[in-house]
Amino acid sequence: AQTVTQSQPEMSVQEAETVTLSCTYDTSESNYYLFWYKQPPSRQMILVIRQEAYKQQNATENRFSVNFQKAAKSFSLKISDSQLGDTAMYFCAFILNSGGYQKVTFGTGTKLQVIP
Amino acid sequence: EAGVTQSPTHLIKTRGQQATLRCSPISGHTSVYWYQQALGLGLQFLLWYDEGEERNRGNFPPRFSGRQFPNYSSELNVNALELEDSALYLCASSRALTGGQETQYFGPGTRLLVL
């Protein structure tokens, strides 16, 4: 069974600073996908970034980047130049897709507060 | 492009009743996923529908069920409601899986309160 652990329930960062959110997972599979989703207060979940496990290069989306360490089963999210709009719950997700079968596992989330 | 929509936004029921939640996916998406987001527990995967069929379900009792209609919209039914069913229920949709992993796009959720 797959597990996803987000060990930081809450974090805070000063506006314009950089923050890293951690995510570790456990699986015996080799072909899977990892996602970071953001859920702002009272607003819906939106995709931040995705990473295919077979890709060695770390994904980047503007101010958001990941540090994907496959051997260590780690998938951290770095937010650079933090903005007030980054205040949200961040969820790490692991999706195993094999032969039309999908298994989806989300972490419990990290609440990020960006301080002006 | 319209996003994933869910109705109702809020639902209040009493123990033992049945709840029906609805989801309309993004146009062109054929897969629909249902999640339960209870306080402090993150998202728990409930059900996955694709092309009208249930493809997978999470560790939830059979009183959680649903279906997908020919227009790819979906319905989640929760029978014999219990207090611990109170949660935000999120629906997500994606394109058909074609070997890779399609990104899931989420709706705003239905907040279910069981009294």
Side-chain angles (χ1 to χ4, degrees), chain A:
Chain A
Q2 284 71 228
T3 60
V4 176
T5 302
Q6 293 181 249
S7 58
Q8 306 148 314
E10 293 190 31
M11 294 188 72
S12 61
V13 62
Q14 290 290 136
E15 196 175 4
E17 297 294 308
T18 295
V19 65
T20 299
L21 281 58
S22 70
C23 173
T24 58
Y25 56 93
D26 187 26
T27 183
S28 58
E29 303 290 337
S30 59
N31 187 24
Y32 50 86
Y33 301 80
L34 296 161
F35 298 80
W36 278 99
Y37 281 91
K38 165 185 174 182
Q39 188 177 40
S42 301
R43 293 179 62 187
Q44 66 193 74
M45 190 94 70
I46 58 174
L47 175 71
V48 174
I49 200 164
R50 63 177 276 167
Q51 174 83 44
E52 289 81 357
Y54 61 83
K55 289 186 178 179
Q56 292 185 332
Q57 187 171 7
N58 289 324
T60 299
E61 286 288 342
N62 301 315
R63 299 183 294 107
F64 299 88
S65 61
V66 298
N67 183 5
F68 174 46
Q69 303 288 329
K70 191 171 184 178
K73 298 179 183 175
S74 171
F75 182 60
S76 60
L77 174 70
K78 186 172 83 171
I79 306 174
S80 304
D81 185 26
S82 297
Q83 300 176 1
L84 297 179
D86 295 334
T87 292
M89 281 290 288
Y90 287 81
F91 292 95
C92 176
F94 171 101
I95 299 182
L96 176 65
N97 182 4
S98 175
Y101 170 84
Q102 274 193 91
K103 184 164 178 61
V104 185
T105 308
F106 274 77
T108 53
T110 295
K111 185 177 181 180
L112 177 67
Q113 179 75 41
V114 179
I115 302 166

